Amino acid sequence: MTAARMPRPGRAADLTVEVAPYPRASVGDVIVEVHAAAFTPGELDWEPTYVDRAGRDRSPAIPARDVSGVVVELGFGTNPSDLRIGDRVLGMIDRYRDGAAAEFVAVEGRDLALVPDGIDHVQAASLPMSGLTAWQGLVVHGGLAAGQRVLIHGAGGAVGTLAVQLARNAGAEVIGTGRARDRQAVLDAGASSFLDLAEGALESLSGSMDLVFDMIGGEVLARSIELIAPGGTLVSIAAPPPAQPADGRAVYFIVEPNRDQLTELANLLATGAIRLPEATVHPLTEAPKAFADKENGVPGKFVLQHKP
Ligand SMILES: NC(=O)c1ccc[n+]([C@@H]2O[C@H](COP(=O)([O-])OP(=O)(O)OC[C@H]3O[C@@H](n4cnc5c(N)ncnc54)[C@H](OP(=O)(O)O)[C@@H]3O)[C@@H](O)[C@H]2O)c1
C-alpha cells in the first residue's frame, strides 16, 4: 500500500511517500480502508509516534492519528455485532501505533465510532483528536458546568474552536484568546468576548476564571495561573503547568481514545450543534507538503484525502 512514513523523529522534510506493508490486525483490531486522515501539530517529533507501548522501536512510522474510512477486515476478538465490514467509521488512533497517512490502517475496534449520515470523510477525519481533546479538557479534567467563566487560549485553532462551542453549549460564559485574525471566528463560535494576546490584556482577568483551557503553553500558560478564581481549574495540553494556582488546581493531560465521547461528538456534528473549522485538504501523496505547511505556521486543520 501507499503510505507517508518518517524514518525517525524529525520534521516534515523527512516524510516520504512510499510503498509500505499492508497492516496486520492484532487481537481486537479492525482494518480500515482510509478515506481521509488528519494530524495535529508536533506529531512528527513525539516519541510515541516511533515506539510501541513497551518502548520498542517501530520506525519507519506512519503519522496522522485521526482516521475516517470503511471497515474492510475484522481481526480476531472483534465483536461482529459491534462493527461490521463496510461500516463507515471515524476514530483517533492510539499514539503508540501507526497512523492513517496510509491507504489502510489497523485500529482497535473499541476506539472507533460510526460516521453519522450526512457527514463526509473529510469532516469526520477533522473531528476525533480535536473533539476528544476539547471534550476531555473541559468536561473530564476541567469540570465544566453551566454559569462558569471559561477562558480558552488558542480559541481559533482546531481544539479551541470546538472547545468554545462545547463550553458555550454547556451554558458557560466563554472568553477566547489568540491572534487578532481569529477574533470574528471565535465570536461566531460562541465566545462572548475575545482577547488578542499580542495586546497582553490578560491581567484584567486576574482571579476571575473558573476554568482556563490552554492550547498554547509557554508564557501564556505561566500567566494563566494567576487568572484562576478560588476553587478553579487550569487545564493545559501543550505543556505541563509550571506551578499550581494558590487556591485551585492545574492539570496537564494527554487525550485518550473514547468511543462514547466520540459518538456524542459525531452526533453533535451531525445535528449542527457544533461545526468544524474549514480544513485545508491535500491528497495523501502531498502529505509532506501538508505537514510542512502546518510546521511553517499556516493556520487551520489539515486533512489528507485518500479517496474522493
Ligand atoms: N495533550 C494533548 O493530548 C493534545 C491534544 C491535541 C493537541 N495538543 C497540542 O495542543 C496544541 C494545540 O493543538 P491544535 O490542534 O488546536 O493546534 P492549532 O490548530 O494550531 O491551534 C492553536 C491555536 O493557538 C494559536 N496560537 C499559538 N501560539 C500562539 C501565541 N503565542 N499567541 C496567540 N495565539 C497562538 C494558533 O495560532 P497560529 O496558528 O497562528 O500559531 C492557533 O490558532 C498543539 O501544540 C498540539 O500539539 C495536545
Side-chain angles (χ1 to χ4, degrees):
M1 67 173 183
T2 300
R5 295 201 296 182
M6 288 288 287
R8 69 193 77 81
R11 297 176 65 80
D14 302 318
L15 193 60
T16 312
V17 178
E18 56 195 15
V19 174
Y22 182 85
R24 194 173 66 86
S26 300
V27 174
D29 283 354
V30 303
I31 302 292
V32 174
E33 182 174 23
V34 183
H35 285 236
F39 56 91
T40 191
E43 262 188 55
L44 297 186
D45 60 10
W46 289 344
E47 195 204 7
T49 302
Y50 300 90
V51 296
D52 66 16
R53 282 186 177 265
R56 287 176 296 235
D57 179 37
R58 51 177 186 75
S59 58
I62 301 173
R65 291 177 57 202
D66 284 321
V67 62
S68 182
V70 173
V71 175
V72 292
E73 210 181 301
L74 299 174
F76 177 76
T78 46
N79 180 349
S81 63
D82 178 32
L83 288 175
R84 295 184 171 87
I85 305 278
D87 278 349
R88 294 193 330 135
V89 290
L90 78 167
M92 187 182 79
I93 302 162
D94 185 282
R95 62 188 182 281
Y96 289 93
R97 306 180 63 140
D98 272 338
E103 288 180 283
F104 297 91
V105 65
V107 191
E108 285 192 81
R110 64 183 177 181
D111 292 345
L112 295 169
L114 296 176
V115 178
D117 291 344
I119 300 298
D120 64 35
H121 287 294
V122 167
Q123 292 174 293
S126 304
L127 181 66
M129 186 188 288
S130 301
L132 288 169
T133 306
W135 182 291
Q136 291 170 19
L138 292 168
V139 178
V140 178
H141 300 284
L144 177 69
Q148 288 180 336
R149 295 193 82 205
V150 177
L151 181 69
I152 296 177
H153 292 309
V159 179
T161 302
L162 289 164
V164 168
Q165 297 172 77
L166 292 173
R168 179 221 40 206
N169 291 355
E173 177 195 343
V174 182
I175 303 171
T177 80
R179 306 202 194 271
R181 61 145 204 269
D182 290 328
R183 177 184 299 275
Q184 197 51 52
V186 172
L187 295 175
D188 290 347
S192 57
S193 59
F194 178 87
L195 292 177
D196 172 2
L197 286 172
E199 291 174 359
L202 280 182
E203 285 63 31
S204 62
L205 303 174
S206 197
S208 69
M209 305 309 305
D210 299 303
L211 173 57
V212 176
F213 190 12
D214 175 50
M215 328 296 165
I216 296 176
E219 194 205 342
V220 173
L221 174 59
R223 284 163 64 201
S224 295
I225 294 166
E226 69 189 46
L227 310 184
I228 302 300
T233 307
L234 168 60
V235 178
S236 64
I237 58 166
Q244 290 289 316
D247 180 3
R249 64 192 180 99
V251 204
Y252 169 75
F253 79 98
I254 294 178
V255 60
E256 292 290 339
N258 184 302
R259 177 188 282 178
D260 290 344
Q261 293 168 4
L262 191 55
T263 299
E264 178 85 25
L265 286 159
N267 289 337
L268 291 173
L269 185 63
T271 58
I274 55 172
R275 60 181 175 72
L276 294 161
E278 196 71 18
T280 303
V281 181
H282 288 278
L284 174 60
T285 48
E286 290 177 10
K289 174 174 170 40
F291 275 88
D293 283 354
K294 190 68 199 168
E295 210 170 78
N296 293 328
V298 177
K301 191 85 183 173
F302 283 79
V303 174
L304 304 173
Q305 187 175 21
H306 302 19
K307 295 173 86 70

